[in-house]
Amino acid sequence: MGIIMEYKTIAAIATAVSPSGVGIIRLSGPDSFVIIRKIFKKRNGAAIFNEKIESHIVTHGYIMDDNDIIDEVLVITMRAPHTYTGEDTVEIDCHGGVLVMKKILETVIKYGASIAEPGEFSKRAFLNGKMDLSQAESVIDLIHSSNEFARKNSLKQLSGFVKDKIVKIRSEILHEVAFIESALDDPEHYSLDTYPAELELKVQEFINKINLLLKNADNGKIMKEGIQTVIVGKPNVGKSSFLNALLGEDRAIVTDIAGTTRDALSESISLDGITLNIVDTAGIRSTNDEVEKIGVLKSKEYLQNADLVLFLVDATSGFSSDDEEIFSLLNNKNTIVLLNKMDLSEVITKEDLEAKLHKPVVCISAKNQEGLPEFISLVKEIFFKGELSFNQEVFITSARQKDCLISCKDSLNQVLHSIALGMPEDFFSIDLMNAYTELGNITGESVGEDLVNEIFSKFCMGK
Ligand SMILES: Nc1nc2c(ncn2[C@@H]2O[C@H](COP(=O)(O)OP(=O)(O)OP(=O)(O)O)[C@@H](O)[C@H]2O)c(=O)[nH]1
Ligand SMILES: [Mg+2]
């Protein structure tokens, strides 16, 4: 892939640089053992690692700079290739003081290591063939995952789920290219008479597989980043009360004065592993109050960008003209209607509202925190079709990988187009090869150095 490995030995603090129980300094590269030999003494003062260093063992002792003791540590030595990076690796477990960690890092640098760039350990793992690019990207996702879905999904990707699917489609595409090339070279033994029709079916199947991955990519994004959710409704229906009920705390101001919420308020809530990035807005109504007017405008803006709209209706007042107006703004948005204040006597029922709006309705009492489980299961159903277990699904979460899939699909559609136009077979193989290359970009088989550097620079220090 045109990337020349520099075989220097790198080092970094792998844990957070803040006071904590334990800190880890990590070394990777051909001189890792040479360096640790120079700066480590066993507890009994005995010669250090004079013997051949065993792999995957922990040794207790001191990090020394000449005769200065820097810290009492545990050292883990791991021999290539059975390490994260595929290179000789040493991890120094020290006391988690900021100064201690920095001193140890300084010492390993002094004795020959270079400071690692962010993500350089993972980059080496990729370049040494320990993982493909989709797996490497899942390492970042795993570190940054903020909910259960994201964590499980990253782990699945890390185990090679995306890679395996992509590798399979790629080899099938390559098979077709090879067939076309052979047939063109050796027309006596291979006939291409019925081939375009056969290829059309196969390409359609490739496209179906890519479409499935793309569909899941949208779910993946939602899982990773959360569902953009907005609460709308006329003033006083209980929007802020509902936000508070979900949060389990009095975050938003609630009063019986219509027009209480002026400025939108955002919170992230994790419900059974799904993250809702939820915005409580000012009640929408026509008003002469200048401040409230701005709030209403903002509410409408949030509405435009939402993945999910929670439309609150007051069960005690029925469906008013204000409600009609708000409903007309919702268009085709994913909407859940919440019929609130069900603890009082209602003048409109769930059934009435469902028949009128053709949207799912959940009865709640924000005040008494009732109806929340029904609401949560409906959210799950809407976004994940009720499937909370991962089954065999794999969710692509990287925008980069999604772009590669889209380009691959474009090339495959181009093949279908050429077949429809009755073009010569070598046209098919050009676009098939493009599709093959695009998929290779997901796993990192055909990416350039710049891209590799960009991807790994998003990693944390020491990873
Ligand atoms: N009985 C009853 N009262 C509720 C319920 N939910 C909200 N309320 C009351 O309704 C009033 C308005 O509640 P808010 O949560 O401030 O309503 P809002 O929709 O945020 O209002 P604005 O910010 O003015 O648009 C308050 O007095 C709440 O206590 C409910 O489920 N039952
Ligand atoms: Mg409010």
Side-chain angles (χ1 to χ4, degrees), residues 201-212:
L201 289 178
K202 284 179 182 162
V203 169
Q204 198 56 61
E205 204 170 296
F206 298 149
I207 292 177
N208 292 344
K209 285 181 183 169
I210 306 275
N211 277 341
L212 193 67

Side-chain angles (χ1 to χ4, degrees), residues 373-443:
E374 291 80 0
F375 162 72
I376 294 168
S377 45
L378 189 56
V379 173
K380 283 180 193 168
E381 201 178 303
I382 289 177
F383 284 92
F384 306 112
K385 300 184 186 56
E387 279 173 37
L388 277 179
S389 62
F390 270 74
N391 302 329
Q392 292 306 303
E393 294 299 327
V394 53
F395 294 83
I396 282 183
T397 44
S398 137
R400 187 192 73 82
Q401 293 176 21
K402 189 178 168 186
D403 286 346
C404 296
L405 286 176
I406 291 171
S407 305
C408 169
K409 190 172 138 183
D410 288 347
S411 298
L412 291 172
N413 275 321
Q414 196 55 47
V415 178
L416 291 182
H417 190 61
S418 302
I419 294 174
L421 292 179
M423 306 285 263
E425 281 78 8
D426 38 3
F427 276 77
F428 310 160
S429 60
I430 292 170
D431 289 314
L432 284 170
M433 265 328 276
N434 286 343
Y436 176 81
T437 307
E438 284 299 341
L439 289 182
N441 285 339
I442 294 179
T443 52

Side-chain angles (χ1 to χ4, degrees), residues 149-212:
F149 275 115
R151 183 187 64 79
K152 282 191 189 154
N153 192 54
S154 317
L155 260 186
K156 263 209 153 158
Q157 283 196 26
L158 185 57
S159 72
F161 235 74
V162 172
K163 179 181 126 190
D164 293 347
K165 294 220 170 195
I166 298 296
V167 165
K168 184 155 185 296
I169 305 176
R170 272 191 112 207
S171 75
E172 287 168 5
I173 292 177
L174 197 61
H175 180 84
E176 299 309 315
V177 175
F179 179 79
I180 295 171
E181 297 302 318
S182 313
L184 291 175
D185 279 354
D186 186 3
E188 281 178 26
H189 291 97
Y190 294 94
S191 160
L192 283 170
D193 291 350
T194 57
Y195 182 67
E198 287 164 27
L199 181 65
E200 189 180 351
L201 289 178
K202 284 179 182 162
V203 169
Q204 198 56 61
E205 204 170 296
F206 298 149
I207 292 177
N208 292 344
K209 285 181 183 169
I210 306 275
N211 277 341
L212 193 67

Side-chain angles (χ1 to χ4, degrees), residues 213-237:
L213 287 170
L214 277 172
K215 192 176 124 238
N216 285 341
D218 291 334
N219 281 342
K221 180 172 174 289
I222 282 172
M223 283 187 321
K224 191 172 140 192
E225 294 168 12
I227 302 169
Q228 298 306 328
T229 309
V230 61
I231 310 177
V232 294
K234 63 189 176 191
N236 244 355
V237 300

Side-chain angles (χ1 to χ4, degrees), residues 239-241 253 260-261 280-281:
K239 298 180 293 300
S240 301
S241 305
I253 299 170
T260 299
T261 306
D280 173 28
T281 62

Side-chain angles (χ1 to χ4, degrees), residues 146-150 152 222-223 226-227 229 231 242-249 267-278 308 310 336 338 364 369 371-381 383-384 387-388:
S146 56
N147 60 47
E148 271 299 287
F149 275 115
K152 282 191 189 154
I222 282 172
M223 283 187 321
I227 302 169
T229 309
I231 310 177
F242 182 62
L243 178 75
N244 289 345
L246 283 180
L247 284 172
E249 61 174 292
E267 280 292 332
S268 249
I269 305 171
S270 185
L271 304 171
D272 271 9
I274 300 178
T275 305
L276 297 189
N277 300 318
I278 201 161
L308 174 65
L310 307 179
I336 296 177
L338 296 169
I364 59 164
Q369 311 194 350
L372 299 187
E374 291 80 0
F375 162 72
I376 294 168
S377 45
L378 189 56
V379 173
K380 283 180 193 168
E381 201 178 303
F383 284 92
F384 306 112
E387 279 173 37
L388 277 179

Side-chain angles (χ1 to χ4, degrees), residues 37 58 68 110 135 238 307 404 437:
R37 274 195 174 100
V58 181
D68 261 1
K110 182 172 165 189
Q135 289 170 304
D307 298 318
C404 296
T437 307

